[in-house]
Amino acid sequence: MTSDTFPDTGSHVVVAMSGGVDSSVAALRLTEKGYQVSGLFMKNWEEDDTDDYCAAANDLSDAQSVCDRLGIPLHTVNLSHEYWDRVFTRFLDEYRAGRTPNPDILCNKEIKFKEFLERAHALGADFIATGHYAGIEHGKDERYLLRGADTAKDQSYFLYTLDQRTLSRSLFPLSGLRKSQVRSLARDRNLRIFDKKDSTGICFIGARRFKDFLIRYLRPKPGDIVDLHGNCIGRHDGLMYYTLGQRHGLGLGGPGEPWYVVDKAMDTNCLYVVQGHDHPALMSTTLKARQLHWVHGCAPSTPYRCCAKTRYRDVDHACVIEHIEQGTATARFDEPQRAVTPGQSVVFYQGARCVGGGTIITGNARARHAPSSHAA
């Protein structure tokens, strides 16, 4: 098997140009390797007239500047309708249900490696390419999704929903580079975006406060903050604003250790909290996940020993996938995990290879052991 970042040189590659340094250097590397390169800029969010948070116009200007510098054409496409239907509405549905979703994973699946792939194919592309920090290993008859060489920037966690067909038509030109090398390449080639700040968080929220954005689409329902003894110790602004393990924004003081969110009871509209970063009620040794996806198209035989991450930027944790049945996987960790959060993704790895993952339903240590008689 080989991990070949640049197969079939000379082919036509359409690069997803965001106006950032990563996609720009991806296009740069491909042009220098002799590919026929085109750029495609996706507009995924419609701003209000007074809304300047996403700055799509500035990003498009930067993308055009890079493409002009590289001597490649730049196409544009408005995918805001597709993004709204396939990503944003599901994002809101998850928050309504009390879960904490990860829209970046859904965006990669539905937009960047589905809709974008179709638009690139219409432009005559043999491959698509992105600025993700991930890699592809080419086997005899299959493709393996790999972590990026820069462990601090590795984005394979967000890509576990990719399938064999998509991987066979995708390139990740940054797979072997560190972020510092990417910026150096951009500076050396006189790309004006070499020091452009990385985008963080969810693009449609931008720099504004999350609560200010969410209230535009979901009606908050204030309720009680309750400890595990059933005592009401405060009020919350709405369950949708909180996630498991959260400390800030609770407004709880008093003696002892800080308070952390441990559960959200949708039936009573209560927010359960505990004191202490590593309180036992925050720790889980098992989890269940659904909406499973396996990179090779089929689930591994169980029991299956591997490592897993329960959130981006998490470190690897040794675990065993004990069984998979009726579309649900149960995994047991060697060591207890903190704040395993419904709605987030668990992603499984074998060494450098990303095996697959799913959406977390729940961990095993839940605050529902608290008194159920408390009424909001």
Side-chain angles (χ1 to χ4, degrees):
M1 300 178 188
T2 61
S3 180
D4 188 356
T5 306
F6 300 103
D8 301 325
T9 55
S11 303
H12 181 201
V13 183
V14 174
V15 182
M17 300 295 292
S18 67
V21 66
D22 294 330
S23 61
S24 298
V25 172
L28 166 68
R29 297 201 80 198
L30 291 168
T31 58
E32 293 185 341
K33 289 293 182 178
Y35 287 92
Q36 176 191 346
V37 180
S38 301
L40 182 57
F41 180 87
M42 293 176 285
K43 184 178 181 181
N44 295 333
W45 187 255
E46 290 288 358
E47 303 90 357
D48 297 332
D49 292 340
T50 59
D51 188 352
D52 60 355
Y53 291 103
C54 281
N58 292 334
D59 290 337
L60 176 57
S61 175
D62 288 339
Q64 186 66 66
S65 172
V66 169
C67 289
D68 290 344
R69 179 71 183 174
L70 299 178
I72 63 175
L74 177 65
H75 307 274
T76 62
V77 61
N78 190 327
L79 300 179
S80 57
H81 177 75
E82 290 81 358
Y83 193 94
W84 181 280
D85 287 346
R86 302 182 194 175
V87 179
F88 187 63
T89 57
R90 291 167 69 174
F91 167 87
L92 295 179
D93 288 344
E94 287 295 285
Y95 272 103
R96 286 191 188 96
R99 296 183 286 268
T100 304
N102 192 321
D104 292 330
I105 291 173
L106 196 56
C107 178
N108 281 316
K109 177 184 178 183
E110 295 292 336
I111 304 299
K112 294 181 181 178
F113 292 91
K114 185 175 182 180
E115 191 66 31
F116 175 81
L117 181 59
E118 294 176 5
R119 301 302 177 103
H121 179 71
L123 292 172
D126 300 302
F127 297 98
I128 61 170
T130 69
H132 283 98
Y133 289 83
I136 300 172
E137 182 179 357
H138 299 260
K140 182 178 179 181
D141 299 310
E142 56 193 349
R143 305 290 188 271
Y144 300 90
L145 176 62
L146 303 180
R147 306 176 196 257
D150 190 336
T151 55
K153 290 291 183 178
D154 168 48
Q155 293 172 306
S156 58
Y157 176 90
F158 298 114
L159 302 174
Y160 77 88
T161 62
L162 301 190
D163 56 23
Q164 290 291 296
R165 175 181 175 274
T166 303
L167 288 173
S168 69
R169 300 184 61 188
S170 300
L171 301 176
F172 296 129
L174 307 188
S175 64
L177 299 180
R178 302 186 66 80
K179 183 73 177 194
S180 58
Q181 294 174 295
V182 169
R183 291 200 181 278
S184 293
L185 281 171
R187 183 179 61 249
D188 293 345
R189 302 305 192 275
N190 296 316
L191 302 182
R192 75 181 192 188
I193 45 72
F194 76 90
D195 60 350
K196 185 174 180 179
K197 185 178 179 181
D198 289 344
S199 60
T200 58
I202 303 169
C203 71
F204 50 76
I205 294 177
R208 83 201 80 179
R209 290 202 318 156
F210 178 74
K211 290 177 69 172
D212 293 340
F213 173 82
L214 204 57
I215 200 172
R216 295 169 58 181
Y217 301 95
L218 298 178
R219 181 180 177 182
K221 182 181 178 182
D224 290 339
I225 299 177
V226 183
D227 67 18
L228 295 193
H229 300 290
N231 302 311
C232 178
I233 58 175
R235 293 281 291 175
H236 66 77
D237 296 331
L239 294 180
M240 63 186 183
Y241 297 134
Y242 305 90
T243 188
L244 269 61
Q246 179 175 332
R247 171 185 174 182
H248 298 291
L250 295 175
L252 299 176
E257 296 185 76
W259 293 90
Y260 295 87
V261 175
V262 72
D263 200 7
K264 299 191 289 186
M266 301 302 293
D267 52 351
T268 60
N269 195 36
C270 289
L271 185 72
Y272 285 99
V273 295
V274 293
Q275 282 185 292
H277 182 274
D278 297 319
H279 189 285
L282 279 168
M283 310 303 290
S284 300
T285 54
T286 66
L287 64 74
K288 293 182 182 294
R290 60 184 177 184
Q291 298 173 337
L292 305 173
H293 179 86
W294 308 103
V295 175
H296 289 141
C298 58
S301 299
T302 56
Y304 183 75
R305 175 156 283 277
C306 56
C307 291
K309 294 183 177 185
T310 59
R311 64 191 66 213
Y312 182 53
R313 299 199 184 286
D314 197 5
V315 298
D316 285 4
H317 298 285
C319 69
V320 175
I321 302 176
E322 295 184 326
H323 51 82
I324 303 170
E325 56 185 4
Q326 297 182 340
T328 300
T330 301
R332 180 174 297 277
F333 291 90
D334 291 4
E335 300 291 337
Q337 302 301 302
R338 182 181 182 277
V340 175
T341 304
Q344 291 287 294
S345 289
V346 57
V347 180
F348 302 106
Y349 292 87
Q350 275 289 357
R353 294 176 178 173
C354 177
V355 178
T359 303
I360 296 170
I361 303 173
T362 184
N364 66 321
R366 308 297 292 132
R368 293 304 177 88
H369 295 104
S372 59
S373 60
H374 181 89

